[in-house]
Amino acid sequence: MRQDENTGGARPKREWDSVTRLLSKTSFLEEMDAFIASAEAEGTLDDYVLISVNICNFKYYNIKYGGKAGDRVMFDLASRLAEGNPDGLNGRFIGDRLAAVMRQQDAEEKIRALQQGFKLKYGPTGLTTKVGIFRLTPDTDALSACELAKLACDTIRNKPEDFCYYNEQIRQNARDVVYIVQNLDRAIRKGWIQIYYQPMVRTINGCLCGIEALARWVDPKRGVISPAGFIPVLEDNQLITRLDLYVLDQVCRGMRQKMAERSELVPVSINLSRLDFLNCDIFQEVEDSVRRYGIARDLLNLEVTESMVMEDSNILKREIKRFHDAGYKIFMDDFGSGYSSLNVLRDYEFDEIKLDMIFMRNFDEKAERVVSSAVSMAKGLGIEALAEGVETKAQYEFLKRIGCDKVQGYYISPPVPLDQFDALFEKSDAVEPRRFKAYYATVRRVNFLTDKPLQIVDFDGKAFRGLYANDEAQAVWQSLHFKSMDQVAALLNDAGSPYYAEGRDVLNKLRLDDPIRMEFDVYGVFLGMRLHLLAKEGEHRLIAIEVSNLGQKDEEDQGDENYIFRLLFTLYDEIYRINLKTQEFIPVKPGVNYIEMSDEWDKRGWKLDLKASARMFIQLEDQSDYIKFADPTTMRERMAKADRGILSEMFRSKGRNGAYVMKLHTIQPMPGSDCVLYSMQFVPKVQEQIKAKTWRHSPQDAPDLIQQDVWQTMCHSQTVNIFWKDKARRFVNVNDKFLETYGLSDRSEIVGKTDEDMFWHVDDGPYRNDELEVLQKGKTVVNHLGKCIIHGKLHNIVASKEPIYRDGEIVGLLGGFVPIDEVTPELSGQVPDDEQESGIDLIAVQKTLAAYMEGWEYRKEKFAAVSVQFDSYKRARQTYGEDIAARMLTALSDRIVDFCGNRTVVIRGFGEHFVMLMKYEDRETVEAFRKAFIARSRMVRELAGYAETLNPTVVVYYSEDARDITNMVAMAFQNKTVEVEPFQN
């Protein structure tokens, strides 16, 4: 059997593939059918096999090198196949699959030669081949034989460079495929698809911090079908999205159930397939489920695999950004399973990488190095790392030691049904509260792979607790005869210990992400510490500490050195080490001004800036002398001339509460280095010398108070709201205080408009009448009471207005007002916010409602009552606690007021139910307001610094639709419908 173009006879003209120069699929099948018939007639068909050749990772190659490079690879492989099978039938079947008919006796030899030659050339790029083999039989046509050979090829999943014969097991597997495809909908409907949950544990605290939802097929006839048995089948047959959406629904339903049971909630992650991003709008599907069940986005995480990202990079990049922008966390699953892991991390924003469990299966020294490198890289990128497949305590301890943030695997628990899950974590302290998720996640920034003594400590407002200490840190404490970290914590937590107050005083000096260096005397031995406040949550503080024993040198020198340190710390309030060569300085013993100082010196890279230092911490009269004293360029020369090489001088320096006290500043050389010690010491006995210091004022002549100065003062006044209008009552300009009061960012928002255009009066009549009196009759209005909407609340104001004349003609008016509620709340019956236990000002609400209702009854001024109900407050109380939920509710109120501006009054009812009152001319304006409010609410990702999701239900009630206006308002506050059908989302 030869493949050439001289076919002769009535056989159809051959077609050749343009890329591989082999037979096209159509011609190959025609030739093969003819060959089967001929060989069967000759009785030689059993001597032949059909092979199906597939290139592994070919899509990734095309993505990286381009389609033309991929075509060259296909041509090369086809040439190798044709050269190795010159007497056979060779063709391109479809895509990157080639097919060939060859003699069975030397088929395996030819296949190995083909694979080895291909690997030698393309292996470094990640390309390999796999081959499926079908023994030809009389009852099988060419197309069926090709499909069966392809089926055998596809069974090779984790063993590239291999070949596989089609056999009875593959035939049975094919039947299983048919069963799975035909029964998926039934399995979902009957509940055969069950959701199992596998816990994730955070290593730093040992708490449950997340759950992965996994599908299990429990068939009444076939028993448990493993995920490996049905998930690839669903992917191959474009059905995986159906399963993924079902899992999404069941997970959200389960979380809603747990909320109803008031159980502790932790984030649940679900797996998404690449087809989910191609076959549907998966982002919208997730959003719909979250809204349907009232789930917060931060409680639902999404996992995508590395291979998905490589196959459809542009689509995935866009969709991942949509999820991120909405507030979801995205995990990369199976990290390290492909050859483009680093490229993926470079091009995409992931919140967590899940190390492929293959690293845990072969857990040897090399695997440890690889995992350590991956964890270190994740920390460098600021993302968390989770290790899957953890099965032993040794693996867990190793992962905790290197700083792997989370673990998952059978060592913790196998996947279990939801009703069995709670039993795994019965203790409340075994579950990481929602409020502490971000708190402990900050540990991801700490590099555990350091040779420095490192420990992580948590302070809960009452006691210190050690969470982690590497071997080097434990060695430091053991050098002080502490047997364990628990003993160190006990020392700090003992109220009778001299270190009890000192430890808490140090905490007060710490600021977020602003490490400080300090030295401490512990039982006569000085320890140097670098303290880094990682996170704060309520009373809790999470601190990373690098500790070193400063006295741990030669034994004969140790006592003297510690004595020197103790003496220095006893004598001086503040000590700094200054490098005269680089002019860098390091706080050795920071003083009371450290927090203020650190802000400034962070900007300067901790380099000396004497003018800035003098300005902040030295009294004005002493600043020039201080700058001369602390000048590093002349310091060596002056020390050389000074007695014992020590410089000292008194300066009035800022102390506690901003008061200036007399301090002795001392500069001492550090022999054998370019450094000096700069120290400060409070000297009580010479405090009275402050009075003897001569004040050196720089007198300045007071400028004449000319008209322009007064005008500028009015424009920038921060006490009175001033405005001026033209004869048509349009705003010409306003001062800065006016802009601030109404929350306007620019004068263009108001210039050229009237009060009616701004909608900030419930009743425009009195204001309009006053201004017409001023503009038409030249009258002056003094201290007229009125009501105005400011930041969503109806305020009482006192306004005055007078005419502006030009050449004897009135050309406008000048006005000013003061919101008297802010100054004298008793005048309006308002109660200050801090005295409102219920959070609701009932008197103000009654007056506000009366103003709108009177406007409708007597002036037919239409108004709408927009009733808004959120579902986040109850969830926040359950998952964050009452204190945080209250802060979040305040933040929510502020956001609503900010959105509504000055044309809408916002009233909070019970819990997170709000009613907004607004006048309108047409319903389209109100409907646009409603839609914009819903859209803005759904964009919210956090309140008061805590992750949250808002899904408001908004109902609009119109005064012109109501038969009874009082009943309409009552229904709005009860969030119920009235006689008319309200608009509703």
Side-chain angles (χ1 to χ4, degrees), residues 576-586 606-608 632-633 635-636 670 673-678:
Y576 301 92
R577 187 176 69 196
I578 301 175
N579 188 312
L580 297 181
K581 192 173 183 179
T582 64
Q583 295 198 16
E584 294 176 331
F585 70 98
I586 297 174
W606 292 87
K607 293 287 186 73
L608 285 178
T633 62
M635 203 174 285
R636 288 186 187 279
M670 295 182 68
S673 74
D674 292 320
C675 298
V676 298
L677 283 181
Y678 192 114

Side-chain angles (χ1 to χ4, degrees), residues 755-761 789 902-904 919 921:
D755 287 326
E756 291 84 349
D757 296 328
M758 300 303 294
F759 290 97
W760 49 32
H761 298 151
I789 302 172
N902 299 310
R903 62 169 298 175
T904 305
K919 293 197 296 184
E921 295 295 333

Side-chain angles (χ1 to χ4, degrees), residues 201-355:
V201 166
R202 192 182 299 279
T203 57
I204 196 67
N205 57 17
C207 291
L208 171 70
C209 63
I211 309 168
E212 182 177 5
L214 301 164
R216 294 292 184 265
W217 188 320
V218 183
D219 196 277
K221 294 181 180 179
R222 299 187 170 214
V224 177
I225 304 176
S226 72
F230 67 87
I231 288 180
V233 173
L234 298 179
E235 290 176 338
D236 292 343
N237 290 274
Q238 306 280 309
L239 294 173
I240 192 66
T241 299
R242 179 83 174 88
L243 174 67
D244 289 346
L245 294 181
Y246 174 72
V247 172
L248 169 65
D249 180 83
Q250 292 299 297
V251 166
C252 291
R253 185 191 299 270
M255 293 181 72
R256 184 68 184 183
Q257 175 186 334
K258 289 299 179 184
M259 286 172 57
E261 297 170 355
R262 304 190 66 80
S263 300
E264 191 76 56
L265 296 179
V266 295
V268 180
S269 64
I270 62 172
N271 294 277
L272 297 181
S273 163
R274 60 177 290 271
L275 293 175
D276 297 338
F277 294 88
L278 302 176
N279 295 342
C280 68
D281 186 346
I282 189 62
F283 171 79
Q284 195 58 52
E285 293 286 352
V286 172
E287 281 282 274
D288 290 346
S289 289
V290 162
R291 292 171 190 161
R292 186 182 309 120
Y293 292 105
I295 305 302
R297 296 186 185 104
D298 66 295
L299 292 174
L300 185 67
N301 300 324
L302 307 168
E303 297 189 15
V304 298
T305 63
E306 179 184 332
S307 59
M308 286 170 52
V309 176
M310 289 305 300
E311 289 186 37
D312 301 286
S313 57
N314 292 331
I315 295 174
L316 264 295
K317 189 174 291 186
R318 182 184 69 241
E319 293 303 303
I320 286 175
K321 186 177 186 303
R322 288 179 72 192
F323 278 114
H324 260 146
D325 290 347
Y328 294 97
K329 301 290 186 185
I330 307 294
F331 299 170
M332 190 215 282
D333 198 10
D334 300 335
F335 178 79
S337 60
Y339 70 94
S340 298
S341 303
L342 299 182
N343 290 336
V344 171
L345 287 183
R346 179 196 63 193
D347 297 336
Y348 292 83
E349 293 293 332
F350 289 100
D351 301 286
E352 183 175 296
I353 58 172
K354 300 185 71 174
L355 303 178

Side-chain angles (χ1 to χ4, degrees), residues 148-163:
L148 295 176
K150 174 182 177 297
L151 193 61
C153 182
D154 291 343
T155 61
I156 306 172
R157 290 189 172 272
N158 299 316
K159 294 181 180 180
E161 306 164 37
D162 204 351
F163 56 84

